[in-house]
Amino acid sequence: MTTSLQKFINLTEHPLKFRMFLFAKLPSAFFAGVRLRFIDGDKCIATVPYKWFSQNPFRSTYFACLGMAAELTTGALVMAHTYRHDPIISMLVTDIEGHFYKKAIDVISFVCEDGNEIKRLVGESTSTGEARTYRAKSVGTNPAGEVVSEFFVTWSFKVKSVVGV
C-alpha cells in the first residue's frame, strides 16, 4: 500500500473529519445520511439510511440518495488512488447508470470492489499521458443481503495539464 493511499484511508477513518468533508463538499449526501463504512485500496462500502430526508413519496429511499452512496464508493476509490498523486490526475464522472430491483426501505449498503482496476488505469494514464475511462460497479444490498440496486459509474482519468509553463 502506497503512503498516499494510506494517508487518504487514514483521513476517511476519522468519522468527524469525513463528516465535515461531506458537509463541506457533498452536503446532500451529508444530510441524507450517507456514510463511508470501509475503504482499502481494493474495496469501498458506504451506506444510506431510509429516513425522512432520503425518502420519496412511494415510501422508499429516493433513487438520487441511492446514487449518492453508490457514487461515493466508486469515487472514494478513485480519490484514494489519485490522492497526492504526482503528476496530478484529473478525474470526472462521465456517465452514470442505475438499475433497481427491490424497494429500498431499510439501510442500504453499497459495495464497489474495483480498486485494483482503478489503480491500474490511473497508472496507465500517468505513464502514457492519455485519458483513460473506467465503468465502476457498485452494488446495493439490504440487511437481508438482497440486491436492491446496482449502479455503474464511468470515470475518466487524465494527467492534469499545467497551464502557463
Side-chain angles (χ1 to χ4, degrees), residues 30-98:
F30 175 84
F31 288 113
V34 173
R35 297 290 179 260
L36 189 66
R37 299 296 181 191
F38 173 83
I39 185 170
D40 64 15
D42 306 322
K43 175 179 173 179
C44 185
I45 302 171
T47 59
V48 63
Y50 171 64
K51 62 180 193 173
W52 176 82
F53 199 86
S54 63
Q55 72 178 319
N56 63 29
F58 310 108
R59 296 190 195 130
S60 63
T61 304
Y62 184 51
F63 83 93
C65 295
L66 296 171
M68 283 188 278
E71 191 266 345
L72 178 61
T73 62
T74 66
L77 287 171
V78 171
M79 288 176 70
H81 290 293
T82 59
Y83 183 71
R84 293 189 176 174
H85 196 278
D86 186 24
I88 296 169
I89 299 289
S90 189
M91 54 191 226
L92 178 68
V93 172
T94 60
D95 192 30
I96 189 163
E97 176 184 334

Side-chain angles (χ1 to χ4, degrees), residues 3 8 33 41 49-50 64-65 78 84 91 93 95 108 111 115-116 126 151 156 165:
T3 305
F8 180 82
Y50 171 64
C65 295
V78 171
R84 293 189 176 174
M91 54 191 226
V93 172
D95 192 30
I108 305 301
V111 178
N116 284 330
T126 301
F151 284 82
S156 173
V165 174

Side-chain angles (χ1 to χ4, degrees), residues 61-150:
T61 304
Y62 184 51
F63 83 93
C65 295
L66 296 171
M68 283 188 278
E71 191 266 345
L72 178 61
T73 62
T74 66
L77 287 171
V78 171
M79 288 176 70
H81 290 293
T82 59
Y83 183 71
R84 293 189 176 174
H85 196 278
D86 186 24
I88 296 169
I89 299 289
S90 189
M91 54 191 226
L92 178 68
V93 172
T94 60
D95 192 30
I96 189 163
E97 176 184 334
H99 301 272
F100 306 92
Y101 305 109
K102 292 188 72 68
K103 206 169 184 178
I105 54 172
D106 208 328
V107 173
I108 305 301
S109 297
F110 281 90
V111 178
C112 178
E113 298 179 300
D114 294 348
N116 284 330
E117 190 62 14
I118 290 167
K119 178 182 178 181
R120 185 184 73 74
L121 289 169
V122 167
E124 264 187 32
S125 182
T126 301
S127 63
T128 65
E130 297 174 7
R132 294 290 186 259
T133 60
Y134 183 67
R135 186 175 183 245
K137 180 180 180 179
S138 186
V139 178
T141 57
N142 62 20
E146 301 166 313
V147 175
V148 171
S149 64
E150 60 185 6

